Amino acid sequence: MWRQWIPFWHPGISPHGGDVDLLFSGLLVVSSLVLGLLFFLLALFCVRYRASNPIDRGHQTSKSWHWEVSWTAASLICFLALFVWGASIYFQIFRTPPEELSVFVVAKQWMWKVQHTGGQSEINALHIPVNRPIRLVMASQDVIHSFFIPALRVKHDVVPGRYQDLEITAQVPGHYHLFCAEYCGTKHSGMTGEIVAMEAADYAAWLASQTPSSPLAQEGGSLFRELGCSGCHGIGSKVRAPLLEGVYGKPVPLADGSVVTADDKYIRDSILLPRSQIAAGYEPLMPSFQGKIDEEQLLRLIAYIKSLGGHGS
Ligand code: HEC
Ligand SMILES: [Cu+2]
């Protein structure tokens, strides 16, 4: 591979790594050509029209529109082509990931907290099996962070107040850098971590060797009772609230006539901003839990509601 001979060029280990590298090289080549041409002309004119050169300066031609229009059009087409190329790769990388293996990532000043659905958690590290698409559900507890794994050629902002989905696939086992790529405060530069890509068997062994507190869904179940959700959403409650059994992944008709899918984002919004989307046929009685529960409790509640059955579980 020609890239091996370029210093500082770390090999990409994701399926789209080659495409990103090629695009990057293309950008580099086009920019270098433009830069080279400019500096060449600059030097040429400097030498040619230097004060001591007795050259004929009398025949200044008027502006040539042919030249003007053609070089503007040529560079426009060139850079638009780069844009289209980049956009097609972008859509390939950032498509909505399938519900395969989900891992939650919570960013906070200044660390990455990772929650596996089995209850295993880690800080500033993420263990994943190789050759398997992983769906990361990312949230921030405070400010904007950015999840950046150079070896996988992916970077995604993690914005407070909403979930971000990101699909990653590592093809080669090993340890890789994880960085926060958005300035997020004093210790931003220390907000680094490690991605550990392992063979499926090693990954299974690693999962088993961790001491899980208890599965996320189970902890979510206790929270569901402690926070009083079950008081309204339980069978036989006095308040008329929708039963959450099997709601996950199903279409939910809303009071305003629209229909949404009950995915992670919808459930999150239902808990934090219950007024924003009212389920059809119910009164807006649910209190907001904004500021009362943090991201980690939220994802436990979602795991619990998911475990109550429904699509894809
Ligand atoms: C005071 C009673 C009450 C409490 C407490 C309550 N809810 Fe609700 N919840 C409702 C009602 C009523 C609705 C339907 C109206 C709406 O969509 O806001 C609802 C809607 C929902 C929905 C959307 C369901 C659907 O079918 O669209 C979810 C998810 C949900 N609640 C989760 C929770 C969780 C988790 C908690 C605890 C943190 C909780 N609720 C606490 C009354 C309550
Ligand atoms: Cu950060």
Side-chain angles (χ1 to χ4, degrees), residues 163-180:
Y163 281 137
Q164 274 81 216
D165 279 339
L166 177 67
E167 183 190 326
I168 57 169
T169 310
Q171 292 176 311
V172 184
H175 294 239
Y176 305 99
H177 288 296
L178 161 65
F179 296 110
C180 176

Side-chain angles (χ1 to χ4, degrees), residues 254-297:
L254 298 182
D256 64 7
S258 58
V259 177
V260 293
T261 306
D263 55 6
D264 296 12
K265 293 188 180 91
Y266 171 75
I267 292 177
R268 177 200 172 85
D269 287 347
S270 296
I271 299 172
L272 297 182
L273 310 159
R275 297 289 149 91
S276 69
Q277 290 168 315
I278 310 284
Y282 294 94
E283 293 297 314
L285 296 173
M286 175 157 161
S288 164
F289 286 84
Q290 183 107 54
K292 295 186 188 129
I293 55 178
D294 62 20
E295 290 297 341
E296 289 174 54
Q297 290 175 310

Side-chain angles (χ1 to χ4, degrees), residues 101-229:
L101 177 63
S102 295
V103 178
F104 289 100
V105 176
V106 176
K108 51 175 108 173
Q109 287 167 325
W110 286 275
M111 61 165 121
W112 299 101
K113 278 202 86 174
V114 172
Q115 273 292 345
H116 297 265
T117 35
Q120 297 86 347
S121 65
E122 29 184 349
I123 289 177
N124 292 339
L126 168 59
H127 286 71
I128 51 172
V130 288
N131 292 323
R132 193 164 158 198
I134 317 288
R135 172 174 175 250
L136 299 179
V137 180
M138 307 190 292
S140 166
Q141 186 80 62
D142 35 50
V143 298
I144 302 181
H145 301 272
S146 190
F147 187 83
F148 180 31
I149 311 172
L152 292 177
R153 304 287 193 267
V154 284
K155 174 157 72 180
H156 202 298
D157 280 2
V158 186
V159 184
R162 53 184 288 202
Y163 281 137
Q164 274 81 216
D165 279 339
L166 177 67
E167 183 190 326
I168 57 169
T169 310
Q171 292 176 311
V172 184
H175 294 239
Y176 305 99
H177 288 296
L178 161 65
F179 296 110
C180 176
E182 181 71 54
Y183 180 68
C184 58
T186 330
K187 294 191 188 137
H188 158 71
S189 61
M191 194 167 158
T192 58
E194 190 180 49
I195 306 294
V196 185
M198 302 189 284
E199 296 293 352
D202 297 337
Y203 176 69
W206 176 83
L207 273 186
S209 74
Q210 295 304 104
T211 34
S213 30
S214 47
L216 276 195
Q218 196 178 319
E219 292 186 5
S222 328
L223 270 175
F224 197 74
R225 284 182 294 278
E226 281 163 32
L227 293 167
C229 317

